[in-house]
């Protein structure tokens, strides 16, 4: 028997109307914004499956756009996302696709062009109760829920890359709660997703960036 | 000794053996299950109470339309003629407050899921709608919310709180049961009477289907929250008058689970049955679908 606790029952505090179609969508896009790690210039937001079907009535489009603007999922400005995007000069478009590219009813692809021209492409699902799962980042298959502070390292699939990165974390006294490595192919671009018990500072993030020639890019994502 | 209960019977035994009120057993259960302190738990609940209060005020003052344009402003209609209602002014205001929260939810406002977003009006609307006339202070309301959560964790563990699994009985039915227990608790009733109130509230809406028009949390959800608030007050009044539930709380929860399993999926939040499958609902769905594509 699953044991439920008080705030599973009374909570979360959330922006309505739907924990899956609004709160989950806002979290998904907000995580994508964190992964992009910079202000957004253009966003292409694709709503799949049930998001495409009933998303407009649930404000899924606004929740996604608010997320890429960096608005927190609990912020009441969510409903004004279209207006805020215009004010901020962010270009956006919504696409609606009936078939989801994964085994989930509610999925979205968040394609972001940042101020520096950097592209971030995140595919994820809202899996109910405001919980989410990111399944693809920039073409790499991942499985990520945002429950822990996370270091996302893009690197070349080379011997010693993983050991160099975890060595830096070890030296800083950071404990790794979970870690997964994904690669496109042998010797090609790969991605380390390292979940930690304590947050990784910007200074430490820079150390990780320069610890090995194999490391191409480092981003940190706060616990959600 | 452990305060972790998952049935009504275990909860009542703890209250009885330790001579503790319902909310105190729930707090001790939470202390056992988490790393939190008593003060932190009460503070977290106070934050919920604050958002609940704000959502009622927002829903009763401003006439936000829902995101879809399908609903909005109904809470205020009932609130403004509360004194002329058959149910009486206090009850009508509580019902209106419950509707206000769900209208705020539908307009992308901030609410507290209690236990779900779709049933988020019943608990805050009833408790805060009656708080002023009854003289309930925040401390007692926080106690009552822990008492409500005690009922909620039992239903969640032994049945379900999700409309997609158990229909509307599991959402607004559970919210009404939690609220009925909280009202009885606020009235100084013994734990057994609180669970009687919860059992009666569930029994009153057993079999209620989840049939949201166009899949939106609006019609009939806003009115089902109105019903839930009325059901909670009625059930608390019955239990406080000494009316028994006949079928005990735990067995009622078992019935909720089995009825939920017997419901076809068309009547569990898929918007394929019930009101959602009517001619008018289909027209609304078509209209909203077209506007969605145009945007």
């Amino acid at each position: 028997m699953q044991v439920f606790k008080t705030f599973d029952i009374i909570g979360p505090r959330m922006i309505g109307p739907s924990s899956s179609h609004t709160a989950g969508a806002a979290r998904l896009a907000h995580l994508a914004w964190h992964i992009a790690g910079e202000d957004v210039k253009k966003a292409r937001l694709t709503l799949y499956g049930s998001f495409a079907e009933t998303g407009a009535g649930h404000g899924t489009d606004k929740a996604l756009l608010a997320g890429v603007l960096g608005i927190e999922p609990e912020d009441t400005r969510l409903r004004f996302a279209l207006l805020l995007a215009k004010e901020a000069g962010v270009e956006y478009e919504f696409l609606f696709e009936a078939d989801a590219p994964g085994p989930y009813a509610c999925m979205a692809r968040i394609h972001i062009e940042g101020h520096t021209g950097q592209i971030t492409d995140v595919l994820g699902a809202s899996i109910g109760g405001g919980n989410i799962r990111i399944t693809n980042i920039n073409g790499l298959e991942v499985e990520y829920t945002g429950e822990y502070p996370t270091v996302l390292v893009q690197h070349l699939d080379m011997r010693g890359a993983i050991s160099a990165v975890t060595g830096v974390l070890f030296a800083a006294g950071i404990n790794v709660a979970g870690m997964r490595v994904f690669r496109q192919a042998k010797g090609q671009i790969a991605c380390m997703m390292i979940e930690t018990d304590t947050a990784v500072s910007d200074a430490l993030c820079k150390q990780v960036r320069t610890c090995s020639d194999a490391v191409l890019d480092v981003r940190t994502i706060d616990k959600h | 000794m452990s305060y972790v209960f998952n049935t009504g019977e275990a909860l009542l035994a703890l209250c009885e053996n330790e001579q503790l009120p319902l909310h105190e057993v729930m707090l001790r259960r939470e202390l056992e299950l988490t790393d939190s302190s008593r003060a932190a738990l009460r503070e977290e609940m106070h934050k919920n109470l604050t958002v609940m209060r704000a959502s009622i005020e927002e829903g009763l003052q401003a006439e936000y339309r829902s995101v879809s344009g399908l609903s909005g402003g109904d809470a205020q209609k009932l609130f403004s003629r509360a004194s002329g209602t058959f149910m009486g002014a206090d009850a009508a205001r509580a019902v209106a407050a419950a509707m206000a929260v769900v209208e705020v939810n539908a307009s992308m406002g901030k609410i507290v899921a209690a236990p779900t977003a779709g049933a988020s009006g019943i608990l805050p609307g009833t408790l805060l709608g009656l708080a002023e006339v009854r003289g309930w202070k925040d401390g007692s309301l926080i106690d009552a919310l822990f008492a409500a959560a005690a009922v909620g964790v039992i239903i969640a563990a032994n049945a379900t709180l999700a409309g997609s699994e158990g229909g509307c009985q599991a959402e607004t039915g559970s919210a009404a049961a939690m609220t009925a227990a909280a009202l009885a608790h606020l009235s100084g009733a013994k734990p057994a009477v609180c669970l009687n109130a919860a059992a009666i509230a569930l029994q009153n809406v057993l079999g209620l289907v989840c049939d949201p028009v166009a899949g939106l949390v609006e019609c009939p959800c806003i009115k089902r929250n109105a019903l839930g608030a009325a059901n909670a007050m009625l059930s608390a009044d019955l239990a406080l008058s000494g009316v028994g539930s006949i079928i005990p709380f735990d067995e009622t929860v078992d019935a909720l689970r089995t009825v939920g399993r017997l419901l076809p999926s068309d009547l569990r939040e898929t918007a394929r049955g019930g009101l959602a499958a009517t001619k008018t609902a289909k027209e609304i769905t078509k209209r909203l679908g077209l506007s969605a594509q145009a945007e």
Side-chain angles (χ1 to χ4, degrees), chain A residues 1 4 6 9-17 56 58 61 74 79, chain B residues 26 29-30 44 48 105 107 109-111 113 115 145 158 215 292 295:
Chain A
M1 182 189 287
F4 291 85
T6 297
I9 305 298
I10 301 181
R13 298 181 285 273
M14 56 167 274
I15 303 296
H58 284 119
D61 47 357
E74 266 189 46
R79 60 156 79 100
Chain B
M26 187 60 183
R29 179 186 193 270
E30 200 67 17
E44 182 65 16
N48 283 341
N105 181 59
S107 76
K110 191 167 185 173
I111 56 100
L145 289 174
N158 297 284
E295 203 178 59

PDB file of all heavy atoms in Angstrom, chain A residues 1 4 6 9-17 56 58 61 74 79, chain B residues 26 29-30 44 48 105 107 109-111 113 115 145 158 215 292 295:
ATOM      1  N   MET A   1       0.846  -1.209   0.000  1.00  0.00           N
ATOM      2  CA  MET A   1       0.000   0.000   0.000  1.00  0.00           C
ATOM      3  C   MET A   1       0.874   1.249   0.000  1.00  0.00           C
ATOM      4  O   MET A   1       1.822   1.345   0.769  1.00  0.00           O
ATOM      5  CB  MET A   1      -0.894  -0.006   1.250  1.00  0.00           C
ATOM      6  CG  MET A   1      -1.835   1.174   1.315  1.00  0.00           C
ATOM      7  SD  MET A   1      -2.679   1.260   2.908  1.00  0.00           S
ATOM      8  CE  MET A   1      -3.836  -0.103   2.743  1.00  0.00           C
ATOM      9  N   PHE A   4       0.443   7.884   1.767  1.00  0.00           N
ATOM     10  CA  PHE A   4       0.308   9.290   1.367  1.00  0.00           C
ATOM     11  C   PHE A   4       0.552  10.183   2.568  1.00  0.00           C
ATOM     12  O   PHE A   4       0.283   9.804   3.697  1.00  0.00           O
ATOM     13  CB  PHE A   4      -1.083   9.537   0.779  1.00  0.00           C
ATOM     14  CG  PHE A   4      -1.287   8.861  -0.536  1.00  0.00           C
ATOM     15  CD1 PHE A   4      -1.687   7.536  -0.590  1.00  0.00           C
ATOM     16  CD2 PHE A   4      -1.060   9.537  -1.728  1.00  0.00           C
ATOM     17  CE1 PHE A   4      -1.858   6.888  -1.808  1.00  0.00           C
ATOM     18  CE2 PHE A   4      -1.227   8.902  -2.942  1.00  0.00           C
ATOM     19  CZ  PHE A   4      -1.633   7.579  -2.986  1.00  0.00           C
ATOM     20  N   THR A   6       0.465  14.415   4.250  1.00  0.00           N
ATOM     21  CA  THR A   6      -0.445  15.556   4.319  1.00  0.00           C
ATOM     22  C   THR A   6      -0.465  16.398   3.042  1.00  0.00           C
ATOM     23  O   THR A   6      -1.525  16.687   2.489  1.00  0.00           O
ATOM     24  CB  THR A   6      -0.063  16.465   5.511  1.00  0.00           C
ATOM     25  OG1 THR A   6      -0.216  15.718   6.713  1.00  0.00           O
ATOM     26  CG2 THR A   6      -0.962  17.689   5.567  1.00  0.00           C
ATOM     27  N   ILE A   9      -2.093  15.518  -0.197  1.00  0.00           N
ATOM     28  CA  ILE A   9      -3.550  15.623  -0.200  1.00  0.00           C
ATOM     29  C   ILE A   9      -3.984  17.082  -0.294  1.00  0.00           C
ATOM     30  O   ILE A   9      -4.856  17.433  -1.081  1.00  0.00           O
ATOM     31  CB  ILE A   9      -4.141  15.005   1.097  1.00  0.00           C
ATOM     32  CG1 ILE A   9      -3.657  13.563   1.276  1.00  0.00           C
ATOM     33  CG2 ILE A   9      -5.663  15.088   1.089  1.00  0.00           C
ATOM     34  CD1 ILE A   9      -4.054  12.599   0.205  1.00  0.00           C
ATOM     35  N   ILE A  10      -3.387  17.935   0.538  1.00  0.00           N
ATOM     36  CA  ILE A  10      -3.714  19.367   0.503  1.00  0.00           C
ATOM     37  C   ILE A  10      -2.499  20.078  -0.089  1.00  0.00           C
ATOM     38  O   ILE A  10      -1.542  20.380   0.597  1.00  0.00           O
ATOM     39  CB  ILE A  10      -4.101  19.869   1.899  1.00  0.00           C
ATOM     40  CG1 ILE A  10      -5.311  19.057   2.380  1.00  0.00           C
ATOM     41  CG2 ILE A  10      -4.430  21.366   1.864  1.00  0.00           C
ATOM     42  CD1 ILE A  10      -5.829  19.447   3.731  1.00  0.00           C
ATOM     43  N   GLY A  11      -2.518  20.296  -1.363  1.00  0.00           N
ATOM     44  CA  GLY A  11      -1.418  20.837  -2.126  1.00  0.00           C
ATOM     45  C   GLY A  11      -1.285  20.041  -3.411  1.00  0.00           C
ATOM     46  O   GLY A  11      -1.947  19.015  -3.561  1.00  0.00           O
ATOM     47  N   PRO A  12      -0.518  20.477  -4.363  1.00  0.00           N
ATOM     48  CA  PRO A  12       0.332  21.658  -4.300  1.00  0.00           C
ATOM     49  C   PRO A  12      -0.453  22.957  -4.519  1.00  0.00           C
ATOM     50  O   PRO A  12      -1.597  22.917  -4.957  1.00  0.00           O
ATOM     51  CB  PRO A  12       1.294  21.445  -5.476  1.00  0.00           C
ATOM     52  CG  PRO A  12       0.477  20.689  -6.475  1.00  0.00           C
ATOM     53  CD  PRO A  12      -0.416  19.787  -5.658  1.00  0.00           C
ATOM     54  N   ARG A  13       0.208  24.068  -4.182  1.00  0.00           N
ATOM     55  CA  ARG A  13      -0.306  25.377  -4.601  1.00  0.00           C
ATOM     56  C   ARG A  13       0.063  25.495  -6.071  1.00  0.00           C
ATOM     57  O   ARG A  13       1.224  25.264  -6.430  1.00  0.00           O
ATOM     58  CB  ARG A  13       0.355  26.491  -3.784  1.00  0.00           C
ATOM     59  CG  ARG A  13       0.064  26.390  -2.291  1.00  0.00           C
ATOM     60  CD  ARG A  13       0.695  27.513  -1.495  1.00  0.00           C
ATOM     61  NE  ARG A  13       2.133  27.337  -1.350  1.00  0.00           N
ATOM     62  CZ  ARG A  13       2.720  26.634  -0.369  1.00  0.00           C
ATOM     63  NH1 ARG A  13       1.992  26.012   0.539  1.00  0.00           N
ATOM     64  NH2 ARG A  13       4.039  26.541  -0.310  1.00  0.00           N
ATOM     65  N   MET A  14      -0.895  25.783  -6.902  1.00  0.00           N
ATOM     66  CA  MET A  14      -0.623  25.719  -8.347  1.00  0.00           C
ATOM     67  C   MET A  14      -1.491  26.692  -9.144  1.00  0.00           C
ATOM     68  O   MET A  14      -2.503  27.167  -8.662  1.00  0.00           O
ATOM     69  CB  MET A  14      -0.865  24.299  -8.859  1.00  0.00           C
ATOM     70  CG  MET A  14      -2.280  23.782  -8.567  1.00  0.00           C
ATOM     71  SD  MET A  14      -2.703  22.281  -9.476  1.00  0.00           S
ATOM     72  CE  MET A  14      -3.302  22.986 -11.021  1.00  0.00           C
ATOM     73  N   ILE A  15      -1.046  26.952 -10.370  1.00  0.00           N
ATOM     74  CA  ILE A  15      -1.860  27.713 -11.305  1.00  0.00           C
ATOM     75  C   ILE A  15      -2.742  26.722 -12.058  1.00  0.00           C
ATOM     76  O   ILE A  15      -2.248  25.722 -12.585  1.00  0.00           O
ATOM     77  CB  ILE A  15      -0.967  28.483 -12.309  1.00  0.00           C
ATOM     78  CG1 ILE A  15       0.004  29.412 -11.587  1.00  0.00           C
ATOM     79  CG2 ILE A  15      -1.818  29.243 -13.314  1.00  0.00           C
ATOM     80  CD1 ILE A  15      -0.640  30.533 -10.810  1.00  0.00           C
ATOM     81  N   GLY A  16      -4.051  26.982 -12.068  1.00  0.00           N
ATOM     82  CA  GLY A  16      -4.990  26.083 -12.720  1.00  0.00           C
ATOM     83  C   GLY A  16      -5.014  26.293 -14.220  1.00  0.00           C
ATOM     84  O   GLY A  16      -4.267  27.120 -14.731  1.00  0.00           O
ATOM     85  N   PRO A  17      -5.910  25.610 -14.910  1.00  0.00           N
ATOM     86  CA  PRO A  17      -6.936  24.733 -14.340  1.00  0.00           C
ATOM     87  C   PRO A  17      -6.525  23.266 -14.171  1.00  0.00           C
ATOM     88  O   PRO A  17      -7.233  22.530 -13.508  1.00  0.00           O
ATOM     89  CB  PRO A  17      -8.067  24.827 -15.360  1.00  0.00           C
ATOM     90  CG  PRO A  17      -7.403  25.151 -16.645  1.00  0.00           C
ATOM     91  CD  PRO A  17      -6.180  25.947 -16.317  1.00  0.00           C
ATOM     92  N   ALA A  56      -5.677  24.328 -25.528  1.00  0.00           N
ATOM     93  CA  ALA A  56      -6.092  25.735 -25.578  1.00  0.00           C
ATOM     94  C   ALA A  56      -7.018  26.072 -24.412  1.00  0.00           C
ATOM     95  O   ALA A  56      -6.879  27.112 -23.769  1.00  0.00           O
ATOM     96  CB  ALA A  56      -6.765  26.033 -26.905  1.00  0.00           C
ATOM     97  N   HIS A  58      -7.113  24.646 -21.567  1.00  0.00           N
ATOM     98  CA  HIS A  58      -6.416  24.495 -20.292  1.00  0.00           C
ATOM     99  C   HIS A  58      -5.286  25.510 -20.147  1.00  0.00           C
ATOM    100  O   HIS A  58      -4.556  25.480 -19.160  1.00  0.00           O
ATOM    101  CB  HIS A  58      -5.829  23.087 -20.154  1.00  0.00           C
ATOM    102  CG  HIS A  58      -6.857  22.043 -19.831  1.00  0.00           C
ATOM    103  ND1 HIS A  58      -7.115  20.981 -20.649  1.00  0.00           N
ATOM    104  CD2 HIS A  58      -7.684  21.920 -18.786  1.00  0.00           C
ATOM    105  CE1 HIS A  58      -8.065  20.239 -20.101  1.00  0.00           C
ATOM    106  NE2 HIS A  58      -8.424  20.790 -18.974  1.00  0.00           N
ATOM    107  N   ASP A  61      -0.839  26.323 -23.900  1.00  0.00           N
ATOM    108  CA  ASP A  61       0.006  27.188 -24.737  1.00  0.00           C
ATOM    109  C   ASP A  61       0.629  28.310 -23.900  1.00  0.00           C
ATOM    110  O   ASP A  61       1.831  28.565 -23.953  1.00  0.00           O
ATOM    111  CB  ASP A  61      -0.798  27.746 -25.927  1.00  0.00           C
ATOM    112  CG  ASP A  61      -2.167  28.300 -25.533  1.00  0.00           C
ATOM    113  OD1 ASP A  61      -2.535  28.216 -24.342  1.00  0.00           O
ATOM    114  OD2 ASP A  61      -2.871  28.835 -26.412  1.00  0.00           O
ATOM    115  N   GLU A  74       4.528  28.656 -10.426  1.00  0.00           N
ATOM    116  CA  GLU A  74       3.484  29.077  -9.470  1.00  0.00           C
ATOM    117  C   GLU A  74       3.092  30.551  -9.635  1.00  0.00           C
ATOM    118  O   GLU A  74       2.308  31.085  -8.867  1.00  0.00           O
ATOM    119  CB  GLU A  74       3.998  28.898  -8.036  1.00  0.00           C
ATOM    120  CG  GLU A  74       3.626  27.591  -7.409  1.00  0.00           C
ATOM    121  CD  GLU A  74       3.971  27.586  -5.926  1.00  0.00           C
ATOM    122  OE1 GLU A  74       3.670  28.566  -5.224  1.00  0.00           O
ATOM    123  OE2 GLU A  74       4.542  26.576  -5.466  1.00  0.00           O
ATOM    124  N   ARG A  79      -1.049  33.526 -16.923  1.00  0.00           N
ATOM    125  CA  ARG A  79      -2.164  33.754 -17.827  1.00  0.00           C
ATOM    126  C   ARG A  79      -1.912  34.905 -18.804  1.00  0.00           C
ATOM    127  O   ARG A  79      -2.591  35.023 -19.808  1.00  0.00           O
ATOM    128  CB  ARG A  79      -3.474  33.973 -17.052  1.00  0.00           C
ATOM    129  CG  ARG A  79      -3.485  35.146 -16.102  1.00  0.00           C
ATOM    130  CD  ARG A  79      -4.912  35.663 -15.838  1.00  0.00           C
ATOM    131  NE  ARG A  79      -5.680  34.879 -14.879  1.00  0.00           N
ATOM    132  CZ  ARG A  79      -5.853  35.199 -13.603  1.00  0.00           C
ATOM    133  NH1 ARG A  79      -5.271  36.280 -13.096  1.00  0.00           N
ATOM    134  NH2 ARG A  79      -6.597  34.476 -12.821  1.00  0.00           N
TER     135      ARG A  79
ATOM    136  N   MET B  26      -2.656  13.161  13.237  1.00  0.00           N
ATOM    137  CA  MET B  26      -2.195  13.405  11.859  1.00  0.00           C
ATOM    138  C   MET B  26      -0.843  14.127  11.865  1.00  0.00           C
ATOM    139  O   MET B  26       0.049  13.789  11.091  1.00  0.00           O
ATOM    140  CB  MET B  26      -3.243  14.224  11.098  1.00  0.00           C
ATOM    141  CG  MET B  26      -2.935  14.389   9.629  1.00  0.00           C
ATOM    142  SD  MET B  26      -2.836  12.779   8.801  1.00  0.00           S
ATOM    143  CE  MET B  26      -2.368  13.268   7.143  1.00  0.00           C
ATOM    144  N   ARG B  29       1.805  11.683  12.818  1.00  0.00           N
ATOM    145  CA  ARG B  29       2.050  10.793  11.669  1.00  0.00           C
ATOM    146  C   ARG B  29       3.015  11.469  10.694  1.00  0.00           C
ATOM    147  O   ARG B  29       3.968  10.870  10.209  1.00  0.00           O
ATOM    148  CB  ARG B  29       0.715  10.502  10.979  1.00  0.00           C
ATOM    149  CG  ARG B  29       0.792   9.608   9.738  1.00  0.00           C
ATOM    150  CD  ARG B  29      -0.600   9.565   9.098  1.00  0.00           C
ATOM    151  NE  ARG B  29      -0.737   8.523   8.085  1.00  0.00           N
ATOM    152  CZ  ARG B  29      -0.478   8.704   6.798  1.00  0.00           C
ATOM    153  NH1 ARG B  29      -0.031   9.875   6.367  1.00  0.00           N
ATOM    154  NH2 ARG B  29      -0.657   7.721   5.932  1.00  0.00           N
ATOM    155  N   GLU B  30       2.770  12.747  10.448  1.00  0.00           N
ATOM    156  CA  GLU B  30       3.592  13.498   9.501  1.00  0.00           C
ATOM    157  C   GLU B  30       5.025  13.671  10.029  1.00  0.00           C
ATOM    158  O   GLU B  30       5.986  13.556   9.270  1.00  0.00           O
ATOM    159  CB  GLU B  30       2.934  14.865   9.260  1.00  0.00           C
ATOM    160  CG  GLU B  30       3.359  15.556   7.990  1.00  0.00           C
ATOM    161  CD  GLU B  30       2.899  14.846   6.732  1.00  0.00           C
ATOM    162  OE1 GLU B  30       1.990  13.993   6.798  1.00  0.00           O
ATOM    163  OE2 GLU B  30       3.470  15.151   5.673  1.00  0.00           O
ATOM    164  N   GLU B  44       3.726  25.422   6.644  1.00  0.00           N
ATOM    165  CA  GLU B  44       3.405  25.007   5.275  1.00  0.00           C
ATOM    166  C   GLU B  44       1.879  24.996   5.069  1.00  0.00           C
ATOM    167  O   GLU B  44       1.377  25.436   4.037  1.00  0.00           O
ATOM    168  CB  GLU B  44       4.008  23.624   5.011  1.00  0.00           C
ATOM    169  CG  GLU B  44       3.794  23.069   3.607  1.00  0.00           C
ATOM    170  CD  GLU B  44       4.482  23.870   2.502  1.00  0.00           C
ATOM    171  OE1 GLU B  44       5.373  24.680   2.815  1.00  0.00           O
ATOM    172  OE2 GLU B  44       4.111  23.684   1.334  1.00  0.00           O
ATOM    173  N   ASN B  48      -0.756  27.258   2.605  1.00  0.00           N
ATOM    174  CA  ASN B  48      -1.902  26.761   1.833  1.00  0.00           C
ATOM    175  C   ASN B  48      -3.160  27.555   2.166  1.00  0.00           C
ATOM    176  O   ASN B  48      -3.916  27.948   1.281  1.00  0.00           O
ATOM    177  CB  ASN B  48      -2.139  25.271   2.114  1.00  0.00           C
ATOM    178  CG  ASN B  48      -1.140  24.379   1.396  1.00  0.00           C
ATOM    179  OD1 ASN B  48      -0.507  24.798   0.434  1.00  0.00           O
ATOM    180  ND2 ASN B  48      -0.993  23.163   1.860  1.00  0.00           N
ATOM    181  N   ASN B 105      -9.538  28.822 -10.638  1.00  0.00           N
ATOM    182  CA  ASN B 105      -8.739  27.746 -11.238  1.00  0.00           C
ATOM    183  C   ASN B 105      -8.918  27.718 -12.759  1.00  0.00           C
ATOM    184  O   ASN B 105      -7.952  27.634 -13.508  1.00  0.00           O
ATOM    185  CB  ASN B 105      -9.159  26.406 -10.625  1.00  0.00           C
ATOM    186  CG  ASN B 105      -8.375  25.239 -11.172  1.00  0.00           C
ATOM    187  OD1 ASN B 105      -7.155  25.191 -11.074  1.00  0.00           O
ATOM    188  ND2 ASN B 105      -9.069  24.287 -11.786  1.00  0.00           N
ATOM    189  N   SER B 107      -9.639  30.088 -14.661  1.00  0.00           N
ATOM    190  CA  SER B 107      -9.148  31.300 -15.323  1.00  0.00           C
ATOM    191  C   SER B 107      -7.623  31.414 -15.201  1.00  0.00           C
ATOM    192  O   SER B 107      -7.067  32.490 -15.361  1.00  0.00           O
ATOM    193  CB  SER B 107      -9.809  32.531 -14.717  1.00  0.00           C
ATOM    194  OG  SER B 107      -9.222  32.814 -13.461  1.00  0.00           O
ATOM    195  N   GLY B 109      -5.890  31.041 -12.477  1.00  0.00           N
ATOM    196  CA  GLY B 109      -5.510  31.665 -11.219  1.00  0.00           C
ATOM    197  C   GLY B 109      -4.815  30.658 -10.326  1.00  0.00           C
ATOM    198  O   GLY B 109      -4.675  29.488 -10.679  1.00  0.00           O
ATOM    199  N   LYS B 110      -4.396  31.129  -9.145  1.00  0.00           N
ATOM    200  CA  LYS B 110      -3.637  30.273  -8.222  1.00  0.00           C
ATOM    201  C   LYS B 110      -4.564  29.648  -7.188  1.00  0.00           C
ATOM    202  O   LYS B 110      -5.336  30.348  -6.541  1.00  0.00           O
ATOM    203  CB  LYS B 110      -2.572  31.118  -7.526  1.00  0.00           C
ATOM    204  CG  LYS B 110      -1.551  30.312  -6.759  1.00  0.00           C
ATOM    205  CD  LYS B 110      -0.392  31.210  -6.388  1.00  0.00           C
ATOM    206  CE  LYS B 110       0.718  30.463  -5.721  1.00  0.00           C
ATOM    207  NZ  LYS B 110       1.893  31.304  -5.527  1.00  0.00           N
ATOM    208  N   ILE B 111      -4.469  28.348  -7.038  1.00  0.00           N
ATOM    209  CA  ILE B 111      -5.307  27.609  -6.091  1.00  0.00           C
ATOM    210  C   ILE B 111      -4.454  26.569  -5.352  1.00  0.00           C
ATOM    211  O   ILE B 111      -3.311  26.358  -5.691  1.00  0.00           O
ATOM    212  CB  ILE B 111      -6.493  26.899  -6.803  1.00  0.00           C
ATOM    213  CG1 ILE B 111      -5.982  25.968  -7.918  1.00  0.00           C
ATOM    214  CG2 ILE B 111      -7.462  27.901  -7.412  1.00  0.00           C
ATOM    215  CD1 ILE B 111      -5.907  24.537  -7.570  1.00  0.00           C
ATOM    216  N   ALA B 113      -4.587  22.558  -4.678  1.00  0.00           N
ATOM    217  CA  ALA B 113      -5.257  21.298  -4.972  1.00  0.00           C
ATOM    218  C   ALA B 113      -5.687  20.676  -3.639  1.00  0.00           C
ATOM    219  O   ALA B 113      -4.883  20.559  -2.727  1.00  0.00           O
ATOM    220  CB  ALA B 113      -4.325  20.356  -5.717  1.00  0.00           C
ATOM    221  N   PRO B 115      -8.501  17.626  -2.738  1.00  0.00           N
ATOM    222  CA  PRO B 115      -7.197  17.014  -3.001  1.00  0.00           C
ATOM    223  C   PRO B 115      -6.720  17.213  -4.433  1.00  0.00           C
ATOM    224  O   PRO B 115      -5.560  16.974  -4.717  1.00  0.00           O
ATOM    225  CB  PRO B 115      -7.461  15.532  -2.721  1.00  0.00           C
ATOM    226  CG  PRO B 115      -8.895  15.332  -3.085  1.00  0.00           C
ATOM    227  CD  PRO B 115      -9.589  16.613  -2.754  1.00  0.00           C
ATOM    228  N   LEU B 145      -7.580  21.550   8.769  1.00  0.00           N
ATOM    229  CA  LEU B 145      -7.010  21.096   7.497  1.00  0.00           C
ATOM    230  C   LEU B 145      -6.191  19.813   7.703  1.00  0.00           C
ATOM    231  O   LEU B 145      -6.199  18.926   6.849  1.00  0.00           O
ATOM    232  CB  LEU B 145      -6.153  22.199   6.867  1.00  0.00           C
ATOM    233  CG  LEU B 145      -6.933  23.401   6.318  1.00  0.00           C
ATOM    234  CD1 LEU B 145      -5.985  24.506   5.852  1.00  0.00           C
ATOM    235  CD2 LEU B 145      -7.857  22.982   5.167  1.00  0.00           C
ATOM    236  N   ASN B 158      -6.532   3.620   0.120  1.00  0.00           N
ATOM    237  CA  ASN B 158      -7.412   2.466  -0.040  1.00  0.00           C
ATOM    238  C   ASN B 158      -8.326   2.529  -1.259  1.00  0.00           C
ATOM    239  O   ASN B 158      -8.932   1.521  -1.631  1.00  0.00           O
ATOM    240  CB  ASN B 158      -8.281   2.295   1.217  1.00  0.00           C
ATOM    241  CG  ASN B 158      -7.431   2.006   2.439  1.00  0.00           C
ATOM    242  OD1 ASN B 158      -6.949   0.894   2.603  1.00  0.00           O
ATOM    243  ND2 ASN B 158      -7.213   3.019   3.260  1.00  0.00           N
ATOM    244  N   GLY B 215     -13.575  18.281 -22.019  1.00  0.00           N
ATOM    245  CA  GLY B 215     -12.386  17.889 -21.261  1.00  0.00           C
ATOM    246  C   GLY B 215     -11.877  18.967 -20.336  1.00  0.00           C
ATOM    247  O   GLY B 215     -10.781  18.852 -19.791  1.00  0.00           O
ATOM    248  N   ALA B 292      -9.081  27.127 -30.996  1.00  0.00           N
ATOM    249  CA  ALA B 292      -7.726  26.733 -30.609  1.00  0.00           C
ATOM    250  C   ALA B 292      -6.807  26.707 -31.817  1.00  0.00           C
ATOM    251  O   ALA B 292      -5.683  27.186 -31.776  1.00  0.00           O
ATOM    252  CB  ALA B 292      -7.739  25.361 -29.939  1.00  0.00           C
ATOM    253  N   GLU B 295      -5.922  30.227 -33.115  1.00  0.00           N
ATOM    254  CA  GLU B 295      -4.948  30.946 -32.305  1.00  0.00           C
ATOM    255  C   GLU B 295      -3.552  30.501 -32.697  1.00  0.00           C
ATOM    256  O   GLU B 295      -2.609  31.184 -32.643  1.00  0.00           O
ATOM    257  CB  GLU B 295      -5.178  30.635 -30.822  1.00  0.00           C
ATOM    258  CG  GLU B 295      -4.631  31.680 -29.900  1.00  0.00           C
ATOM    259  CD  GLU B 295      -4.939  31.348 -28.447  1.00  0.00           C
ATOM    260  OE1 GLU B 295      -4.525  30.292 -27.979  1.00  0.00           O
ATOM    261  OE2 GLU B 295      -5.623  32.146 -27.809  1.00  0.00           O
TER     262      GLU B 295
END
